[in-house]
Amino acid sequence: MEKKYKVGIIGATGMVGQRFICLLANHPWFDITVLAASPRSAGKKYTEAVGAKWCMEEEIPESVKNMVVMNATDDVEIIAELVDFVFCAVDMKKDEIKALEERYAKAECPVVSNNSAHRHTPDVPMVLPELNPEHTEIIASQRKRLGTKRGFIAVKPNCSLQGYVPALFPVDKAGYKVKDVLVCTYQAISGAGKTFDTWPEMVDNVIPFISGEEEKSEKEPLKIWGKVDGDVIKDSDRPNFTAQCLRVPVSNGHMGAVFVRFENKPSVEEMKKIWKEYKGAPQKLNLPSAPKQFLNYFEEDNMPQTKLNRNLENGMAISIGRLREDTQYDYKFVCLSHNTLRGAAGGAVLLAELLCAEGYMD
Ligand code: NAP
């Protein structure tokens, strides 16, 4: 890539925003040009605005420390002039996020979003780059609806599904049709934008409810399995997903326990071979954030483990283990993904790289 793209981070002071800053500080294609957040942070230097909320292992990068945070809602048109596109991860009401992202798109500023607000807008692609990159085709229809030349919105799916959907989709595409999936997720507290300091109730505790998470975990896979049909992406009517999502006392990393039934059952060896050999568009295009090995199967009985494996390939690879026959379903297995890397900021950066490689950001 000869040119470097100028990018803005909307929600730069939040948990996901901080991850974006760390991932983009030395990115080969992207330069952080704008940081924006709520009116509480606007006008302050980044270090002052983020203050004690900074919770990454690494220090705040020198290049952003003194950047003055802009107002994400009042400065839309100014920000759109300064950057080639924005990443968006804000904690606001859903209809406010929907409207804000459309304002950026209509100001001819593409938006790569972490928020759930537009995930079911039928002409907004929801892309997990290794699985459904062809859904970006729908951007032409979305631009027509918005009346834009450059501006559009693309989203990444929810963090909860980023272990079991990557594990099951390639097996389905290899011809072993997935019929029913039961999944229980064990989700880290960073998924709620929290740490043990800011959420002490989570120490030595499990909370068996995450608002809206089970619905997202069951419904979003159907859009990923869906097809571009005219001016919309039509959701698939299969597989059937049922999910229970629990918050567990873990800082980062979502684990999933999966039970699956197929229409035509593969063997254990066939499933492991599909996982080992699977390469998606990011691997074929050699995108900067793509893991070399997307799906990693561990043979040891006690693997993968959250603490040991969540950072595999910079937190962008998926870990799978314990594949075995089940008494009620065909198989059961476990899977692990890093929720703020693969499941949030890292997944969005990979999606932006795909969109750049396909020419959508020019
Ligand atoms: P967070 O830590 O609470 O950060 C929220 C960000 O939104 C902050 O930068 C905040 O700015 C900004 N904000 C709040 N109100 C605003 C307003 N009225 N106008 C403009 N900016 C405003 O939240 P998070 O965990 O990063 O999550 C952000 C989004 O990503 C959410 O939609 C969440 O569902 C999604 N997401 C999170 C994860 C995860 O693992 N954490 C995973 C996938 C998706 P101030 O600091 O100025 O208040």
Side-chain angles (χ1 to χ4, degrees):
M1 185 77 48
E2 278 167 24
K3 125 177 203 186
K4 268 201 149 187
Y5 293 84
K6 289 182 272 186
V7 307
I9 303 171
I10 311 301
T13 49
M15 176 74 82
V16 178
Q18 294 173 29
R19 279 277 178 216
F20 275 124
I21 287 179
C22 294
L23 291 174
L24 298 177
N26 294 305
H27 194 280
W29 295 2
F30 304 149
D31 267 338
I32 302 175
T33 307
V34 166
L35 301 177
S38 79
R40 292 179 290 279
S41 303
K44 295 182 184 160
K45 285 186 179 168
Y46 185 71
T47 35
E48 204 188 316
V50 74
K53 284 187 291 181
W54 182 263
C55 58
M56 300 292 107
E57 278 150 23
E58 49 270 69
E59 296 281 301
I60 302 176
E62 281 301 323
S63 53
V64 304
K65 273 187 175 166
N66 292 324
M67 281 178 77
V68 176
V69 177
M70 296 181 74
N71 185 320
T73 47
D74 288 357
D75 296 341
V76 173
E77 283 71 26
I78 305 169
I79 294 170
E81 283 287 320
L82 293 172
V83 300
D84 292 312
F85 68 92
V86 293
F87 291 105
C88 188
V90 288
D91 183 18
M92 293 164 68
K93 291 201 188 97
K94 212 169 184 169
D95 52 344
E96 290 173 1
I97 298 179
K98 253 186 156 167
L100 182 68
E101 293 185 339
E102 282 211 2
R103 276 180 64 203
Y104 277 97
K106 285 186 173 162
E108 299 295 3
C109 178
V111 179
V112 179
S113 177
N114 263 275
N115 307 305
S116 62
H118 273 295
R119 288 192 193 143
H120 293 290
T121 304
D123 59 11
V124 169
M126 180 170 69
V127 181
L128 210 156
E130 278 86 352
L131 307 185
N132 60 334
E134 72 284 0
H135 284 189
T136 56
E137 278 170 37
I138 203 68
I139 288 170
S141 303
Q142 191 196 137
R143 281 175 169 159
K144 222 184 316 159
R145 172 176 64 84
L146 295 173
T148 58
K149 284 200 178 69
R150 281 190 83 241
F152 66 88
I153 301 160
V155 301
K156 52 149 284 295
N158 200 48
C159 50
S160 60
L161 59 77
Q162 310 249 354
Y164 60 92
V165 169
L168 293 170
F169 190 92
V171 182
D172 188 276
K173 293 297 151 190
Y176 302 103
K177 295 287 168 221
V178 177
K179 192 161 175 263
D180 301 308
V181 181
L182 184 156
V183 59
C184 294
T185 62
Y186 302 86
Q187 302 193 198
I189 61 173
S190 59
K194 298 278 179 39
T195 62
F196 287 115
D197 288 338
T198 58
W199 202 3
E201 298 91 317
M202 277 309 302
V203 176
D204 194 24
N205 199 12
V206 171
I207 296 183
F209 175 69
I210 306 174
S211 179
E213 203 74 352
E214 290 169 357
E215 294 77 359
K216 290 174 190 169
S217 304
E218 293 170 359
K219 196 166 169 221
E220 290 185 17
L222 300 178
K223 185 162 181 179
I224 297 173
W225 250 268
K227 290 225 161 359
V228 173
D229 182 0
D231 284 343
V232 298
I233 295 169
K234 274 227 171 99
D235 285 5
S236 172
D237 55 8
R238 59 153 216 103
N240 297 311
F241 285 89
T242 181
Q244 284 208 73
C245 300
L246 314 182
R247 190 72 73 190
V248 296
V250 155
S251 59
N252 291 299
H254 290 353
M255 182 77 84
V258 186
F259 298 77
V260 56
R261 189 177 292 124
F262 291 93
E263 280 170 25
N264 47 331
K265 179 182 171 185
S267 67
V268 166
E269 289 67 34
E270 280 163 333
M271 282 179 75
K272 288 183 186 171
K273 185 166 187 284
I274 291 165
W275 289 334
K276 192 168 176 203
E277 293 178 356
Y278 188 75
K279 286 192 189 333
Q283 287 72 36
K284 290 176 194 158
L285 293 166
N286 206 13
L287 298 178
S289 302
K292 298 261 171 303
Q293 179 65 34
F294 177 44
L295 304 168
N296 298 267
Y297 188 78
F298 290 78
E299 293 290 347
E300 301 88 336
D301 282 344
N302 61 354
M303 298 280 268
Q305 292 180 20
T306 304
K307 212 168 163 176
L308 294 181
N309 304 112
R310 61 189 166 203
N311 289 327
L312 190 63
E313 296 223 36
N314 301 318
M316 292 298 285
I318 310 303
S319 300
I320 309 170
R322 303 204 65 213
L323 176 64
R324 61 222 192 271
E325 300 250 352
D326 182 52
T327 51
Q328 296 182 25
Y329 286 72
D330 288 332
Y331 292 113
K332 51 190 167 190
F333 64 89
V334 296
C335 51
L336 170 74
S337 60
H338 195 302
N339 57 297
T340 63
L341 288 166
R342 168 54 76 169
V349 171
L350 188 62
L351 171 54
E353 290 167 1
L354 176 73
L355 291 163
C356 289
E358 290 179 332
Y360 287 105
M361 300 299 201
D362 295 333

